[in-house]
Amino acid sequence: MNPDTAEFLAQHSGLTRRYFLRRGTAGLAAWGVLPALLRGAEREPALQTAIDGLETWLTKLDDFRDVSRGKPRPHSLDEAKRKEVGLTRDTWSLEVVADPDNKAQLRKPLTKENGTAFTFKDLMKLAETQAVRFPKIMTCLNLGCPLGNGIWEGVPLREVLWLTQPSLNLRRVFYCGYHNDDPKQMFRSSLPVGRILEDMYGLPPVILCYKLNGQWLSPERGAPVRVVIPESYGFKNIKWLSHVFLSNLWTANDTYGEQNNDVDSPLKTFCETLSVPKIVKSGQPIAVTGYAQVGISGLKKVQVWIHNDDDDLPEGDKHFVKAPWQDAEILPPPKTWGGDIPDDKIPAPTHGFDPATGQPKSWPLRATKAHWAFLNPGLPAGEYTLRCRTIDENNNAQPMPRPYRKSGRAAIQEVGLSVL
Ligand SMILES: Nc1nc2c(c(=O)[nH]1)N[C@H]1C(S)=C(S)[C@@H](COP(=O)(O)O)O[C@H]1N2
Ligand SMILES: [Mo]
């Protein structure tokens, strides 16, 4: 790439000139940022203002939303009670045992009774050599919008599984957290043992997580330790972890399954708007921003379609595949990461990021969030409906390939827009 071009791109995306020179144009083209920037066009001021007003890529710790069960909810307990029930770093311990109903054979179960339960000190000892970090969006399968996007740090769960020396009959692992010692309040999730032992498709490992965005996990996020699974919806990410059961069961047994949910559904790719002007003057530019959840199959495009409500909707095309969709701009990596991460730096190493530069190796990153922006130059007066959709790396247009609600939200969002 010619150095002037690199300088230009660097200024327009907040990345360093060296970074571009090192990456070359191939990486940039893959990001989809090159064409818009090479045209030399400054963004339209209304669009730039909307982009400048976007939330940060990493969610501030206080802005994470909460989905917690329990009466009382475990994070609402006072410090003394949390100490009593083992929900502080100095009192926590984890039992890793055979499922009494479907026993896996273990040589060394980790139990409180035998004084072999796994403590926070043990976890920190493993963390010295085994700690991993990865970015992940936390999304409830049952809610529309994600709860937060963060860098989660922990030790692979398999390191602790191996401590029990399993020998035979281990097919599934299920786990639960503290729920007021009341079996009726238990919220349990599960994984095939293979997912814990091996990281397929370039995914980071399933972890026993103790930090979020560089800070100790808060009680609300599941302190002191929760399970975090890179590609899963929220319900698999059990908070206030207290027990892991190694089982010969071959079926899922998640509490969420009892509530009619698809418990084997990895994160879907979908998008939503973040800002759309409700009312605009005719002929005035319309600036729209939004986010996309980058699911297991990646994100190739975000598209927008603004439809005049007086015109009929196409018949027999319920996902609007034949509508005149237009590409939005998927925004490049942000200048600042936000989310209260110390020094605004992605710590090295973090899965998906170059440890030397702290910049992502590709963009957008799977199982995280990406922001997008779209500009319509102006419309005649009328009532309109704006829709947005994603196209994943397999060329599936939202809500495909998995349109069913109980496997996670992917419906095409509709927003009303008045042009006066
Ligand atoms: N112990 C426990 N873990 C839990 C839950 C719970 O109720 N209890 N809720 C789950 C669900 S359904 C979701 S969506 C996520 C939400 O994570 P968050 O509260 O950190 O945002 O936590 C999961 N982990
Ligand atoms: Mo959830």
Side-chain angles (χ1 to χ4, degrees), residues 90 151 191 212 284 344:
D90 52 341
I151 306 280
L191 286 169
L212 170 59
Q284 291 295 302
D344 203 62

Side-chain angles (χ1 to χ4, degrees), residues 288-335:
V288 181
T289 61
Y291 71 88
Q293 170 167 296
V294 185
I296 195 76
S297 294
L299 175 69
K300 187 180 272 181
K301 284 179 179 184
V302 171
Q303 298 184 317
V304 172
W305 166 40
I306 304 178
H307 178 254
N308 189 319
D309 293 346
D310 287 341
D311 298 338
D312 290 337
L313 284 171
E315 253 174 62
D317 181 18
K318 68 175 174 177
H319 301 328
F320 310 113
V321 292
K322 295 188 195 117
W325 295 95
Q326 289 183 295
D327 291 353
E329 179 190 355
I330 296 172
L331 299 180
K335 289 180 192 154

Side-chain angles (χ1 to χ4, degrees), residues 334-400:
K335 289 180 192 154
T336 53
W337 299 105
D340 310 310
I341 200 150
D343 305 322
D344 203 62
K345 276 206 185 82
I346 304 292
T350 293
H351 192 95
F353 288 81
D354 180 335
T357 62
Q359 289 295 322
K361 292 187 201 159
S362 63
W363 193 263
L365 293 164
R366 260 192 318 175
T368 72
K369 182 180 268 201
H371 290 105
W372 55 270
F374 177 81
L375 188 77
N376 179 292
L379 291 167
E383 293 298 316
Y384 293 84
T385 300
L386 179 145
R387 292 178 175 82
C388 58
R389 71 170 186 184
T390 51
I391 309 283
D392 72 19
E393 291 286 351
N394 295 329
N395 291 319
N396 286 298
Q398 194 187 325
M400 297 302 277

